[in-house]
Amino acid sequence: MRQQITADYLEGFLGNRRLMEQLAFILEVEKLKTVLRRTPLLDRSRVENDAEHTWQLALMAMVLSEHSREKVELLRVLKMLLIHDIVEIDAGDTFAYDTVLAASQAERELKAAERIFALLPDDQAKEFRALWDEFEAKATAESRFANAMDRLQPLLHNFFTEGGTWGSAGVTAASVERRMLPIGVASDTLGELSARLITLAVEQGILAPAPQDT
């Protein structure tokens, strides 16, 4: 049986408690590579995992930060993006348009945050948890831009894979527009881009129109 990776187990190697807590956290979050999302890769060979999603969001933020409506501290945005989905190790990925799972999402993710961030030394646990809470609240310029990246990436993948997850039951232009609202809040330019992609998707028949448009 594989030895459970905990700070107590690791401490026997070096005797440095802080380092061992940090290593326990690092080894635990490796599990993010095994959490599958529904978003397809652009080559359509498979779906992405959470670690790949996180990496792409961080890179997008570096490239696109000039389009933020408000001045942002890029490092803070990157920190939020790197940890925002860690809770899905326990909570799993909740499909954006799954209203049933969405009802329990906040509770599941909060419980996961309490467990996973607590693996770190106290000061880092508090810092990481505060960053995660900030991302969820969308109350700062950095969190608003980070959330915009989180919404824009799957929009791009769905559009450029001719529908991606948009073929799921109940997904219409109206539901996608609601999901993409944080993009326009954070950036005029990227908000216009997302609106244009949704319009084009409907015109191309890869996204169902809003009910009132049928």
Side-chain angles (χ1 to χ4, degrees), residues 66-107:
E66 68 187 68
H67 299 290
S68 176
R69 186 192 303 270
E70 306 167 271
K71 183 175 177 60
V72 295
E73 181 186 341
L74 181 57
L75 178 58
R76 191 167 190 85
V77 173
L78 295 175
K79 285 182 176 181
M80 273 187 267
L81 289 174
L82 288 173
I83 67 169
H84 82 287
D85 270 346
I86 282 176
V87 294
E88 294 186 359
I89 291 171
D90 289 355
D93 176 61
T94 301
F95 181 47
Y97 303 102
D98 187 331
T99 56
V100 175
L101 276 180
S104 64
Q105 182 178 2
E107 180 182 356

Side-chain angles (χ1 to χ4, degrees), residues 21 32 58 90 119 121 142 187 191 197:
E21 289 174 342
L32 208 61
D90 289 355
L119 297 173
E142 286 77 15
S187 169
L197 290 177

Side-chain angles (χ1 to χ4, degrees), residues 134-194:
E134 181 180 348
F135 177 87
E136 292 295 312
K138 305 182 188 69
T140 64
E142 286 77 15
S143 64
R144 285 189 285 270
F145 188 72
N147 271 276
M149 297 298 97
D150 193 34
R151 305 300 171 91
L152 179 61
Q153 187 256 4
L155 174 67
L156 293 172
H157 279 243
N158 284 328
F159 182 83
F160 287 105
T161 56
E162 297 183 304
T165 62
W166 289 340
S168 302
V171 178
T172 67
S175 57
V176 175
E177 287 169 354
R178 285 193 297 271
R179 179 71 181 167
M180 298 304 132
L181 285 175
I183 300 175
V185 171
S187 169
D188 291 332
T189 306
L190 300 179
E192 292 170 5
L193 169 64
S194 65

Side-chain angles (χ1 to χ4, degrees), residues 5-7 10 19-29 119:
I5 300 170
T6 65
L10 292 169
L19 176 58
M20 294 308 102
E21 289 174 342
Q22 291 167 330
L23 287 176
F25 174 80
I26 289 169
L27 294 171
E28 178 70 10
V29 300
L119 297 173

